[in-house]
Amino acid sequence: MDSSRKLRVAVDAMGGDYAPAHEVAGTLAALKETNNAFEALLVGRKQDLEEQLQKSHPTGLSYSIIPATEVITMEDSPTAALKQKRDSSLAVGIRLHQEGKADAFVSAGNTGAVLSATTLILGRTKGVSRPTIGTFLPAEGGPCLLVDAGTNVDCRPRHLFEFAIMGSIYYSLVTKKERPTVALLNVGEEKGKGTEVVNEAYKMLESSNVNFIGNVEGRDILRKKADVVVCDGFVGNIVLKFGESIPGFLKGRLSKFAQEGMVRKLIVGLAKGTLKNALRDFDPNVEGGVPVLGANGISIIGHGSSTPTGIKNMILRGVEVARAELHKHIEKALSASRSAEKPEMSLPAGAYKGE
Amino acid sequence: MDSSRKLRVAVDAMGGDYAPAHEVAGTLAALKETNNAFEALLVGRKQDLEEQLQKSHPTGLSYSIIPATEVITMEDSPTAALKQKRDSSLAVGIRLHQEGKADAFVSAGNTGAVLSATTLILGRTKGVSRPTIGTFLPAEGGPCLLVDAGTNVDCRPRHLFEFAIMGSIYYSLVTKKERPTVALLNVGEEKGKGTEVVNEAYKMLESSNVNFIGNVEGRDILRKKADVVVCDGFVGNIVLKFGESIPGFLKGRLSKFAQEGMVRKLIVGLAKGTLKNALRDFDPNVEGGVPVLGANGISIIGHGSSTPTGIKNMILRGVEVARAELHKHIEKALSASRSAEKPEMSLPAGAYKGE
């Protein structure tokens, strides 16, 4: 990347549940916060975006509008939508990046469609069998990256091995920790436990340069036994969705308990507020978005229900990951892992410190 | 079973973490509560058991001691222990059942050893490829049975299909619900989602007599979308252990939050107590124990850390399951599923209503 010019981020301004309002507000907030450290390309319906921009009277911020007439909704089938809506903000935005007119693409739109477009238009990084997505969980003593978070359900050992490498590099970039610990999610700690696929992946990781600490169990995720926890997307999706259901479940339990008297009602009210505060960093808007690891470029996926702060954080993540050229580090590590060399597990010092 | 005589339950009195104290206390409590509805065979070191019994001066309770000189500990390797300690309370107890001298066996000992002994000594029910264990979770609106809870990690479609049938029959026995709903745990609700194994199992269940409602996601377990949720033991183990870690994680979060001031400390104290009360039925002692589904007999596994109440409930579960002759219903349903007939999915009315 030419470091003499500003980094350009293409924002799918029509993507999220509250688009374009949150998208525009989040973009302007990111520009303000970084003092125009990047250039935002707001991709979407010109008139809608202009109307939205007029509401906040932004001055002196480095953004421009890139017109796209169509919108892929949350209900659209990913592959059909990409074929039929060729002028969607998603397709136009990601093509900007593919053609070198933007250095990163970010979207809080239809996750399946963003993933498909990323794989189809940007393609895979050399050496990557399957792109993946990891999610940070706020564990005891720092974040834990669970990867694959739901992208690839049927995995072979090589896939888990690649997730470990890509997750390790991404973890290093975000947390600045140089050799993050990596573990396989399994039913027991001892080598030889679990499925054949996990066992084969264990052997591959053991003889790699990954800072592999062995197996961890389901209870170890939130206890932060490892920085990066690797599993297939079937397990990852189920664990994450099970976890997501717990705050609501607790709320229901507490409400039921409150029905048994006024004093209890009062205590439960306090308890609910306290729990909410104590779990504030479980809010997905803090993370903002996650990159498609193994894509041949920078594509960040945010939550559909992102707040303006969520959109801002997704964009800042995009800037960070684009500056560090995450995909190039992944390519280097994976092509090394395919040759006799040991793959490099962390970014070279200073790589993520910006332009 | 001859219904004219008392049902006999062999209790591994040396099994749990607090054996024989909790085992003896729990046995006596079960006899008292049911007014000697069954006969307890306390299996273990004669002297240890006599000492324990003297402490509580039980009178008029229908128990006897069956001597066994050895003890399998929690640290023992299951298969090695069974080979080396042939006179262990576990092996002697389960052989009593196998020889027809007891109608059920219960143990809060080394889970792996109980499972191995059950499979080796009792064998499998005809038609069962792999015995399994399910666990009840206190979901919104009633219990949800997650099966396999960790026994079989690498599963084929036929295994999941059998878990669905066995889980359905067991659910029906415990809750008295006649045709419990059964679902496959998956990454999406639509047919065709997920792994190949789950997809094949879907097709088998669809054309069976199981009250199959399709796929459910991780977030649906505690929301009780289905009575019985079927998965392989790899996923089951990880989900359950992840879930188990959450109360401790919340406690840690709340404690950290409490450090920020006196008022917070007070509120957090209240919140912790409230949470504990609201989640009381997550205590494994309420369930007591779970039968090995697909064993050719009745073998109940309890938690190692069972309280006397936990042991009591494990024994009562054993009595209930033995009276209903769970294994015979499973045999009937599974042999039917192997022939052209449709398997029967619930117990005949009244089957579990006792002698």
Side-chain angles (χ1 to χ4, degrees):
Chain A
M1 199 180 68
D2 175 6
S3 63
S4 66
R5 63 154 175 73
K6 247 183 204 172
L7 196 135
R8 299 150 307 173
V9 179
V11 179
D12 176 1
M14 313 303 286
D17 294 339
Y18 307 100
H22 288 190
E23 271 65 11
V24 168
T27 303
L28 300 179
L31 289 168
K32 271 181 209 153
E33 188 170 310
T34 61
N35 200 17
N36 286 321
F38 68 98
E39 192 188 332
L41 311 175
L42 287 163
V43 188
R45 285 193 190 128
K46 198 157 179 275
Q47 203 185 331
D48 291 4
L49 295 179
E50 278 170 351
E51 275 170 24
Q52 201 58 47
L53 283 161
Q54 270 169 6
K55 285 181 196 165
S56 44
H57 307 288
T59 48
L61 296 178
S62 55
Y63 67 87
S64 53
I65 293 176
I66 308 288
T69 56
E70 286 172 303
V71 176
I72 292 179
T73 68
M74 294 297 181
E75 291 70 38
D76 279 334
S77 142
T79 38
L82 287 173
K83 266 187 201 164
Q84 287 151 16
K85 298 180 175 174
R86 300 193 58 88
D87 199 42
S88 68
S89 54
L90 199 172
V92 171
I94 211 157
R95 277 201 300 266
L96 279 177
H97 178 31
Q98 195 266 330
E99 291 162 3
K101 292 170 189 159
D103 304 296
F105 170 73
V106 303
S107 175
N110 181 320
T111 302
V114 181
L115 260 175
S116 300
T118 300
T119 315
L120 289 172
I121 300 173
L122 295 183
R124 285 172 296 165
T125 301
K126 208 175 139 189
V128 172
S129 315
R130 296 224 196 132
T132 186
I133 281 177
T135 292
F136 277 105
L137 290 165
E140 287 168 24
C144 169
L145 183 72
L146 188 74
V147 57
D148 181 306
T151 324
N152 303 286
V153 294
D154 259 321
C155 288
R156 291 197 302 274
R158 171 82 204 175
H159 302 140
L160 298 181
F161 174 70
E162 290 178 7
F163 300 164
I165 293 177
M166 295 192 283
S168 187
I169 291 172
Y170 178 52
Y171 192 94
S172 183
L173 189 156
V174 171
T175 66
K176 320 298 184 231
K177 184 169 175 175
E178 279 209 15
R179 274 176 60 79
T181 53
V182 178
L184 283 165
L185 187 56
N186 205 332
V187 298
E189 290 194 352
E190 308 85 346
K191 186 177 175 181
K193 282 269 175 184
T195 61
E196 275 177 45
V197 170
V198 172
N199 264 296
E200 282 305 308
Y202 191 108
K203 288 174 204 158
M204 293 174 79
L205 285 166
E206 221 179 8
S207 57
S208 76
N209 255 349
V210 174
N211 189 4
F212 180 58
I213 59 161
N215 295 321
V216 294
E217 299 185 54
R219 62 172 142 247
D220 302 325
I221 300 172
L222 296 177
R223 289 186 192 156
K224 186 69 189 300
K225 279 222 184 160
D227 296 321
V228 179
V229 172
V230 176
C231 59
D232 65 45
F234 190 79
V235 171
N237 174 295
I238 288 169
V239 164
L240 287 170
K241 284 187 181 159
F242 181 68
E244 276 170 25
S245 75
I246 287 171
F249 175 76
L250 287 175
K251 227 175 127 184
R253 275 296 162 125
L254 287 171
S255 297
K256 208 180 146 197
F257 186 73
Q259 287 164 7
E260 293 168 39
M262 272 309 290
V263 178
R264 282 197 173 178
K265 202 168 175 178
L266 194 74
I267 296 175
V268 162
L270 283 171
K272 275 188 189 171
T274 312
L275 257 183
K276 204 178 163 185
N277 271 313
L279 296 177
R280 205 159 17 195
D281 55 0
F282 268 95
D283 178 358
N285 289 298
V286 174
E287 191 175 356
V290 292
V292 182
L293 301 171
N296 190 23
I298 306 296
S299 174
I300 311 280
I301 302 185
H303 283 257
S305 60
S306 290
T307 60
T309 304
I311 300 288
K312 182 197 78 182
N313 289 337
M314 168 175 73
I315 294 171
L316 296 181
R317 180 58 47 94
V319 170
E320 181 188 24
V321 167
R323 269 196 192 136
E325 297 187 296
L326 174 65
H327 55 302
K328 296 198 178 162
H329 291 283
I330 287 177
E331 181 176 341
K332 199 174 152 199
L334 278 173
S335 61
S337 86
R338 290 208 183 257
S339 72
E341 295 164 55
K342 303 274 185 183
E344 267 187 48
M345 256 337 85
S346 54
L347 296 170
Y352 37 74
K353 285 181 187 141
E355 299 172 304
Chain B
M1 200 181 69
D2 176 6
S3 64
S4 66
R5 63 155 174 72
K6 245 183 204 171
L7 195 135
R8 299 150 307 174
V9 179
V11 179
D12 176 1
M14 313 303 286
D17 293 338
Y18 307 100
H22 288 190
E23 272 63 12
V24 168
T27 302
L28 300 180
L31 288 168
K32 272 181 207 154
E33 188 170 310
T34 62
N35 200 17
N36 287 320
F38 68 99
E39 193 189 332
L41 311 175
L42 288 163
V43 187
R45 284 192 190 129
K46 199 159 179 277
Q47 203 185 330
D48 291 3
L49 295 179
E50 278 170 352
E51 274 171 24
Q52 200 58 47
L53 284 160
Q54 270 170 6
K55 285 183 197 163
S56 44
H57 306 290
T59 49
L61 295 179
S62 55
Y63 67 87
S64 53
I65 292 177
I66 308 289
T69 55
E70 287 171 304
V71 176
I72 292 178
T73 67
M74 295 297 180
E75 291 70 38
D76 278 334
S77 142
T79 39
L82 288 172
K83 266 189 201 164
Q84 287 152 15
K85 298 179 176 176
R86 300 193 58 87
D87 199 42
S88 69
S89 54
L90 200 173
V92 171
I94 211 157
R95 277 202 300 266
L96 279 177
H97 178 32
Q98 196 265 329
E99 291 161 2
K101 292 170 189 161
D103 304 296
F105 171 72
V106 304
S107 176
N110 182 320
T111 302
V114 181
L115 260 175
S116 299
T118 301
T119 315
L120 290 172
I121 299 173
L122 295 183
R124 285 172 295 165
T125 301
K126 208 175 137 189
V128 172
S129 315
R130 297 227 195 128
T132 184
I133 281 178
T135 291
F136 278 105
L137 290 165
E140 286 169 23
C144 169
L145 182 73
L146 189 74
V147 56
D148 181 307
T151 324
N152 302 286
V153 294
D154 258 320
C155 288
R156 291 198 300 273
R158 170 82 204 177
H159 303 141
L160 297 182
F161 175 69
E162 290 178 8
F163 300 164
I165 293 177
M166 296 194 283
S168 187
I169 291 172
Y170 178 53
Y171 192 94
S172 182
L173 189 157
V174 171
T175 66
K176 320 298 185 231
K177 184 168 176 177
E178 278 207 18
R179 275 177 59 77
T181 52
V182 178
L184 283 166
L185 188 56
N186 205 331
V187 297
E189 291 195 350
E190 307 84 346
K191 187 178 174 179
K193 282 268 176 185
T195 61
E196 275 176 45
V197 170
V198 172
N199 264 296
E200 282 306 308
Y202 191 109
K203 288 175 203 157
M204 292 174 80
L205 285 165
E206 220 179 9
S207 58
S208 77
N209 255 348
V210 173
N211 189 5
F212 180 58
I213 60 161
N215 296 322
V216 294
E217 299 184 55
R219 62 172 141 246
D220 302 325
I221 300 172
L222 295 177
R223 289 185 191 158
K224 185 70 188 300
K225 279 222 183 159
D227 296 321
V228 180
V229 171
V230 176
C231 58
D232 64 45
F234 190 80
V235 171
N237 174 295
I238 288 169
V239 165
L240 287 170
K241 284 187 182 160
F242 181 68
E244 276 170 26
S245 75
I246 288 171
F249 175 76
L250 287 176
K251 228 175 127 183
R253 275 298 162 124
L254 287 171
S255 298
K256 206 179 146 199
F257 186 73
Q259 287 164 6
E260 295 168 38
M262 273 308 292
V263 178
R264 282 196 173 179
K265 201 168 175 179
L266 194 74
I267 296 175
V268 162
L270 283 171
K272 275 188 188 171
T274 312
L275 256 183
K276 202 178 165 184
N277 271 312
L279 295 178
R280 205 158 20 195
D281 54 0
F282 268 94
D283 179 0
N285 289 298
V286 174
E287 191 176 356
V290 292
V292 182
L293 301 171
N296 191 22
I298 306 295
S299 174
I300 311 281
I301 303 185
H303 283 257
S305 61
S306 290
T307 61
T309 303
I311 300 289
K312 182 196 78 181
N313 289 338
M314 169 175 72
I315 294 171
L316 296 180
R317 182 55 49 93
V319 171
E320 182 188 23
V321 168
R323 271 197 191 135
E325 298 186 295
L326 174 66
H327 55 302
K328 297 198 177 163
H329 291 283
I330 287 176
E331 181 176 339
K332 199 174 152 199
L334 278 173
S335 62
S337 86
R338 291 208 183 257
S339 72
E341 295 164 56
K342 303 274 186 183
E344 267 188 47
M345 256 339 83
S346 53
L347 295 170
Y352 38 74
K353 284 181 189 141
E355 301 172 304

